[in-house]
Amino acid sequence: MAQTKATRSRQGAIWCTPLFLLLLSRPLGGSVSAFVPIARNHVAPATTSRRQTASGTFLSMSNKDTPAGDIPEENADRSAWTRREAIRSSASAGVALLAFVAAEDANAFDIPLLTPRDRISTGGQFVPAKRSTCYLVDSTLPPTLVPFKAQREAAILKNLGMGSGTKKTPFIEEGINLNNIMKKTVFGTIDMVENVKGGMKANDGKGGEGYATFVFFGTDYSKPEDTNLVMGLLTDITKPRRDAETALGLAFAPLSTQESLDSYLKDGDAAILQKAMEDAGVDSTTFAFQLPFLQYARSKKLILLALSPELVDIRSVRTNGLQSIGAERRGKYVIDPSGFIGQTQDPKFEMYAEKSLFRDFVPLSEKDSTADFFSERILVHECAASVVAKWAISRPDSLVTIVAPSTDVRFMNGINGRVPRIAKRLNPDTTIDDMAVTTILVNPTAQSTLSQSKFLRLEIGTAPENKSYQTKVADYLWFTSMPKVNMLPRLMNGP
């Protein structure tokens, strides 16, 4: 009967072990020597050589010349005794090894370590390391990821709810080198830890009249896990709000549905609201995906804000350009015309359009162009930013949370990048700035961040000519479960 591979491996281990032990147990002798005898009663000359005799061939090494056949009697006896003892010892070891591998599940390479498997906490099985589900995208060059443990996540969200915002500067401004390592050890590390423990509070004493904060969630509407995660984050954010004015902006809802949203908050009739949304052009599938947010807002007594232009106007711009919308209607969507035009000419925004915005272009017809797509998207972004800025600027210390597709908020120049400019137009004395706007991407992937590899893309603007405009993908990356380690680039040690 043919032997299995495992059986042959065990037999090889059994018969090789005695020979191996025999070679190891061979004494070197009084004059440092080592040899492999093939014939008895022969000793090698002083140098290594191969000699042919009537008795056989042997290899030898020795410090002294000894004529063949003249082995001293005491050495011969000692050699014979040593060989007998070595053979006896190795035979005993072979029997023990045979008993070890004779079991049904024996394996030639399955040799136990010092600690038995049943006494190891993992039972000898591989257990992957625990990774964080929350990562700060630190504003270094290039950006790096700072993980936060689960116990820190609630504190970060609480600080966002209290109006802290998010700093856009790195934890430690200057690098550690031989000249400042002592200074950094004494002062910089302490400052970094305090920033982390404080949730990167960014308001620096700001508050009151003319100040508000904004939290953008970049999601995929079609994924229930994204919806559930956003609602979980909103719960922690709104806990410290109490009676403070808090709104939830809906990027999918046309402005004409605002009255229907207000009615829904009062009576909770989802059927009437769905009818109003469908009349405004919102399909039933989109409404179904958004219904959990509507129900959540009503249960938490949040104000709902419609942020989208009318869908008929969006289609008109995509086909005939911005000039196809009348001045009166365009004025509802764009309340800062000069800033709206000027932003399109900013080099940083031009880089964003090339590296991010145009990557989502999918032609709707043969005549569709990137220029038409560009006009459509900037109108959608400007309208949403105008609504949230206008609502917040008149409500001191208010908070607006916005749920939008990740394509409209990634790399910080979509809806989220327009809010500070519009707030400044509405109130020149406002203290709303970039730090008052926080962007969280929910369950991002390499594809959703426009990466060409398995890693997430953390920034745009890496070429020498646009390095000064480098922009990170978001402030935070938040996951429902532990992400794969091979998708997290430039991961730093967390607090």
Side-chain angles (χ1 to χ4, degrees), residues 15 17 26 32 71 79 89 123 129 143 171 174 243 300 342 348 353-354 356 372 387 396 422 436 440 443 465 472 487:
W15 292 112
T17 301
R26 182 66 187 173
V32 180
I71 301 176
S79 299
S89 300
F171 273 164
E174 53 185 41
D243 297 330
K300 299 295 182 181
K348 184 175 182 179
E354 177 187 353
S356 178
D372 295 331
V387 172
I422 297 173
I440 300 174
N443 292 321
E465 63 271 16
K472 61 183 183 179
M487 67 183 294

Side-chain angles (χ1 to χ4, degrees), residues 174-189:
E174 53 185 41
I176 297 179
N177 53 51
L178 294 178
N179 294 325
N180 65 7
I181 189 168
M182 184 57 67
K183 174 184 175 183
K184 191 59 60 180
T185 302
V186 176
F187 300 104
T189 303

Side-chain angles (χ1 to χ4, degrees), residues 15-279:
W15 292 112
C16 289
T17 301
L19 178 59
F20 180 65
L21 294 177
L22 171 63
L23 296 177
L24 290 180
S25 63
R26 182 66 187 173
L28 295 178
S31 60
V32 180
S33 64
F35 58 89
V36 182
I38 305 178
R40 296 187 59 187
N41 299 328
H42 284 33
V43 177
T47 58
T48 303
S49 64
R50 178 183 297 271
R51 298 181 58 186
Q52 182 72 33
T53 67
S55 303
T57 304
F58 65 88
L59 299 175
S60 66
M61 293 179 61
S62 177
N63 288 339
K64 294 182 179 181
D65 291 337
T66 304
D70 293 340
I71 301 176
E73 183 178 353
E74 62 276 12
N75 288 352
D77 292 341
R78 186 176 60 185
S79 299
W81 180 87
T82 302
R83 285 194 294 272
R84 286 195 298 270
E85 292 300 317
I87 293 173
R88 187 179 304 162
S89 300
S90 61
S92 300
V95 172
L97 182 61
L98 176 62
F100 172 71
V101 300
E104 289 290 335
D105 59 347
N107 188 302
F109 302 100
D110 191 14
I111 301 175
L113 300 177
L114 297 178
T115 306
R117 287 190 174 185
D118 58 355
R119 296 180 61 185
I120 300 176
S121 60
T122 62
Q125 301 298 319
F126 171 74
V127 177
K130 292 184 178 180
R131 290 182 295 278
S132 302
T133 55
C134 169
Y135 298 84
L136 170 73
V137 184
D138 197 11
S139 301
T140 53
L141 290 176
T144 50
L145 290 180
V146 180
F148 287 93
K149 296 180 181 178
Q151 57 267 32
R152 292 295 310 143
E153 294 182 8
I156 294 172
L157 298 172
K158 178 181 178 181
N159 284 320
L160 290 177
M162 295 173 63
S164 296
T166 303
K167 283 187 176 181
K168 300 300 189 289
T169 54
F171 273 164
I172 302 178
E173 290 288 349
E174 53 185 41
I176 297 179
N177 53 51
L178 294 178
N179 294 325
N180 65 7
I181 189 168
M182 184 57 67
K183 174 184 175 183
K184 191 59 60 180
T185 302
V186 176
F187 300 104
T189 303
I190 297 175
D191 293 340
M192 184 186 73
V193 172
E194 290 301 321
N195 285 338
V196 172
K197 288 185 176 181
M200 287 74 66
K201 294 190 69 174
N203 58 10
D204 297 327
K206 298 176 184 177
E209 190 70 30
Y211 183 75
T213 53
F214 309 82
V215 179
F216 286 83
F217 295 99
T219 70
D220 184 342
Y221 289 159
S222 63
K223 295 182 178 179
E225 60 269 25
D226 284 17
T227 300
N228 294 333
L229 179 56
V230 170
M231 290 191 294
L233 300 179
L234 281 172
T235 299
D236 286 334
I237 290 176
T238 56
K239 276 183 180 179
R241 298 297 298 171
R242 297 182 181 177
D243 297 330
E245 293 190 272
T246 308
L248 175 61
L250 304 172
F252 83 98
L255 298 186
S256 60
T257 63
Q258 184 61 56
E259 292 185 4
S260 299
L261 291 173
D262 296 339
S263 299
Y264 171 76
L265 293 176
K266 296 177 181 178
D267 55 35
D269 194 331
I272 295 178
L273 178 60
Q274 181 175 2
K275 179 65 167 57
M277 289 289 178
E278 291 177 352
D279 292 343

Side-chain angles (χ1 to χ4, degrees), residues 223 410-411 443-458 473 477 479 486-489:
K223 295 182 178 179
R410 71 183 178 208
F411 297 113
N443 292 321
T445 63
Q447 182 179 5
S448 68
T449 57
L450 305 179
S451 174
Q452 299 298 316
S453 69
K454 61 185 177 182
F455 292 104
L456 297 172
R457 186 173 184 176
L458 300 185
V473 67
L477 307 179
F479 298 88
N486 63 1
M487 67 183 294
L488 301 175

Side-chain angles (χ1 to χ4, degrees), residues 251-256 277-283 308-317 329 333 380:
F252 83 98
L255 298 186
S256 60
M277 289 289 178
E278 291 177 352
D279 292 343
V282 178
D283 62 83
S308 173
E310 302 305 321
L311 299 185
V312 63
D313 291 336
I314 293 177
R315 287 191 288 267
S316 177
V317 171
R329 198 160 218 177
Y333 304 147
V380 171

